[in-house]
Amino acid sequence: MHSGAPEGTVTGEPASREKTRQRVIEAAIGLLEREGREAVTTRAVAAAAGLQPPAIYRLFGDKEGLLDAVAEHGFQAFLATKHGAPEPEDPIEGLRAGWDLAVEFAVDNPALYTLMYSEPSRATSAAFRTGMRVLEERVHRLALGGWLRVDEDLAVQIIHAMGRGAALTWLSLPEEARNPALLATLRDAMTNAVTEPEPAVRGSGPAGAARALRAALPEQTALSGAERQLLREWLDRLS
């Protein structure tokens, strides 16, 4: 039975509304990729999606709301590539593979990637935060193996900043000026900035980490003698 809703309107059923919303997002992405961000107007997107312009406002509030939804869609798509890729057993290779995956997504989706990462406000995206947790888990694996040369929070910030900056720099260059050595060199620089050449910990579990820390304890000057003694006792138990 026909719903009776005029062509180009948004019906109230959740499934129909979500389907229309997705159609609008896909239309916006198409315009973004073909003609750039300036082409993504509410009127142009509505026409591409087969809707009247007021429908865009009902679905997204305004143009910025639409762009936020497009960016969120991009973060979800990027997150899906992370979940689909097998995690290498070697945590260093996992770090490099994650970098390559991010760069590949940027190269394949230049306009979408630029929209996603060129504005700090996009960091509130739920899918963005989930993606960052994937990175945090990867960094934690490095920490457990004794590979990190900086603390975990700083490592996450360095990896994210260098990957984001590398991709945006690459996309900003004219195609004839894009040298693949740039990305390879930056990836090596990122790896060297956050990891040690050899792991401080051999084997899984807390014992190896405790032994590594206990070995370095005499060199620590930030602790008092009593604090070093107490920490040594705790490390002895763990190891």
Side-chain angles (χ1 to χ4, degrees), residues 54-143:
I56 305 297
Y57 294 95
R58 288 194 293 273
L59 288 166
F60 302 98
D62 55 17
K63 178 182 174 180
E64 285 306 309
L66 172 59
L67 291 175
D68 286 343
V70 170
E72 177 70 9
H73 177 88
F75 286 125
Q76 290 173 353
F78 181 36
L79 186 61
T81 66
K82 289 186 177 185
H83 288 323
E87 184 70 22
E89 290 187 13
D90 184 339
I92 299 292
E93 286 306 309
L95 178 61
R96 291 173 172 271
W99 171 280
D100 290 342
L101 199 64
V103 169
E104 182 179 344
F105 183 87
V107 171
D108 290 344
N109 307 275
L112 181 57
Y113 186 93
T114 301
L115 175 68
M116 291 161 57
Y117 286 104
S118 61
E119 297 179 17
S121 62
R122 306 296 184 206
T124 60
S125 157
F128 172 84
R129 292 196 300 269
T130 300
M132 289 301 292
R133 285 195 291 272
V134 172
L135 175 57
E136 289 163 2
E137 290 168 3
R138 180 169 285 140
V139 168
H140 187 59
R141 285 185 61 205
L142 290 165

Side-chain angles (χ1 to χ4, degrees), residues 170 173-186:
W170 176 268
L173 295 171
E175 288 194 21
E176 63 274 13
R178 294 175 179 175
N179 185 343
L182 171 66
L183 296 176
T185 301
L186 288 173

Side-chain angles (χ1 to χ4, degrees), residues 132-194:
M132 289 301 292
R133 285 195 291 272
V134 172
L135 175 57
E136 289 163 2
E137 290 168 3
R138 180 169 285 140
V139 168
H140 187 59
R141 285 185 61 205
L142 290 165
L144 288 175
W147 287 101
L148 287 186
R149 67 167 68 238
V150 297
D151 67 55
E152 292 183 47
D153 289 342
L154 181 57
V156 169
Q157 292 170 9
I158 291 171
I159 295 164
H160 176 68
M162 293 186 71
R164 183 174 182 165
L168 290 174
T169 298
W170 176 268
L171 296 178
S172 73
L173 295 171
E175 288 194 21
E176 63 274 13
R178 294 175 179 175
N179 185 343
L182 171 66
L183 296 176
T185 301
L186 288 173
R187 186 185 67 174
D188 290 343
M190 174 275 299
T191 304
N192 293 334
V194 300

